Amino acid sequence: MQSTFPTVTVLGIPFVKTTAANFIAVLQQRIMQKQSTFVVTANPEIVMYAHNHTDYHDLLQNADFVTPDGIGILDGAKILKQPLPERITGFDTLQALLKWGSDQHRSAYFVGAKPAVIDQLRTLLPQQYPGLNIVGLHDGYFQDDDEVVSDIQRTQPDMVFAALGFPKQEQFIRAHRHVTKGLWMGVGGSFDVLAGAVDRAPQFWQDHHLEWFYRTVKEPKRLKRIAVIPHYLRLVRQQAKRTRPRG
Ligand code: UDP
């Protein structure tokens, strides 16, 4: 198996072209080899934010892997005539790594979400992932990174999951990933979902690529995420025109 992947570049962001299963297998291999790894799972809102913020764009270039989290990225790749096989979501990747981490007795550090969510995870995670060595759980509302970072440095987790929302989680990872040789991944609102504070869409909605619709109806603040899609698709079509071979 290859340890790196071909990529498809959508508005300057290189997305890994592989299946979720392959991707997770490579992450596991890198964790076992203590190879420092920074994973970003990006949707069109993140791509557009990077398009408008050079610093964040540069930061994404610094990640080892950017995965297509969101059907809009798959649509973009199709417009570019370089289709990607499937979505690789932050939540699914997190769950797969926690299950594997439990089976293989790996260690994990969780930083992010509200204190009440972290309190729930303190009870739930050991029940759901009994073999996982949970070396730290910290909410995401701290003023100063130092305490959390020195905790991560002291505990040297195999995996650090940062649920601070973007761009904060990627900025946090970029600034501190050097303190361990583990995997660092930004997972957005995933801790809220793990704790049951937010529902994932039922399977029907997921199967019909309508998870975004379900989530938006339940959480109208997500409308802003969807609002960027027409502009995003317009820019991708422009990219397709520019890169289409002449003749
Ligand atoms: N969050 C945090 N610290 C902050 C801001 C947000 O820990 O300073 C958490 C928030 O509680 C939520 C997560 O970051 O659990 C991001 O949620 P959101 O749904 O906005 O992220 P998305 O899934 O849209 O990236």
Side-chain angles (χ1 to χ4, degrees):
M1 183 180 31
Q2 279 189 306
S3 62
T4 53
F5 307 104
T7 55
V8 174
T9 300
V10 182
L11 302 185
I13 306 300
F15 285 91
V16 294
K17 185 177 184 175
T18 187
T19 61
N22 249 330
F23 181 65
I24 287 158
V26 165
L27 294 185
Q28 291 165 351
Q29 209 176 52
R30 289 174 69 105
I31 292 167
M32 290 187 294
Q33 293 165 353
K34 296 209 177 301
Q35 222 175 327
S36 163
T37 306
F38 172 14
V39 176
V40 176
T41 66
N43 56 22
E45 192 186 9
I46 291 185
V47 171
M48 288 304 286
Y49 188 85
H51 185 73
N52 296 319
H53 296 82
T54 316
D55 287 3
Y56 190 69
H57 190 274
D58 292 349
L59 200 157
L60 294 196
Q61 302 295 332
N62 201 263
D64 295 291
F65 304 111
V66 183
T67 77
D69 183 348
I71 197 71
I73 302 298
L74 265 54
D75 290 342
K78 220 184 280 168
I79 291 170
L80 295 168
K81 302 217 169 10
Q82 301 176 65
L84 290 163
E86 61 181 343
R87 292 171 69 193
I88 303 178
T89 71
F91 187 70
D92 291 339
T93 308
L94 169 67
Q95 271 198 317
L97 288 173
L98 293 180
K99 163 90 177 52
W100 172 79
S102 178
D103 294 344
Q104 301 292 321
H105 303 287
R106 294 279 160 178
S107 58
Y109 197 103
F110 299 79
V111 54
K114 302 216 167 79
V117 169
I118 286 294
D119 280 346
Q120 276 172 298
L121 292 186
R122 220 180 283 288
T123 315
L124 282 175
L125 287 174
Q127 290 168 1
Q128 286 174 5
Y129 304 101
L132 185 71
N133 181 12
I134 300 166
V135 292
L137 279 159
H138 199 293
D139 70 76
Y141 295 84
F142 45 87
Q143 295 307 319
D144 182 354
D145 293 0
D146 285 1
E147 184 202 334
V148 181
V149 174
S150 57
D151 209 24
I152 295 174
Q153 184 159 28
R154 184 179 54 79
T155 53
Q156 291 292 308
D158 293 315
M159 307 179 268
V160 178
F161 299 109
L164 304 164
F166 86 92
K168 213 172 175 182
Q169 60 199 17
E170 285 78 24
Q171 288 159 348
F172 178 82
I173 293 174
R174 169 76 201 267
H176 305 302
R177 61 179 292 205
H178 62 275
V179 307
T180 74
K181 288 217 170 77
L183 168 101
W184 295 64
M185 182 164 91
V187 294
S190 293
F191 291 3
D192 301 341
V193 182
L194 276 182
V198 173
D199 290 345
R200 184 122 200 243
Q203 200 62 41
F204 169 86
W205 301 88
Q206 292 187 43
D207 290 348
H208 291 80
H209 294 167
L210 288 170
E211 184 167 15
W212 61 272
F213 181 72
Y214 179 89
R215 300 274 298 272
T216 306
V217 171
K218 296 207 71 154
E219 279 178 90
K221 78 171 167 80
R222 303 182 81 88
L223 257 183
K224 117 177 161 324
R225 172 171 306 183
I226 288 173
V228 307
I229 290 188
H231 187 201
Y232 159 80
L233 290 175
R234 215 163 33 244
L235 290 176
V236 176
R237 282 193 209 99
Q238 286 170 8
Q239 181 188 337
K241 259 192 218 148
R242 277 198 308 276
T243 53
R244 195 175 297 152
R246 289 165 193 278

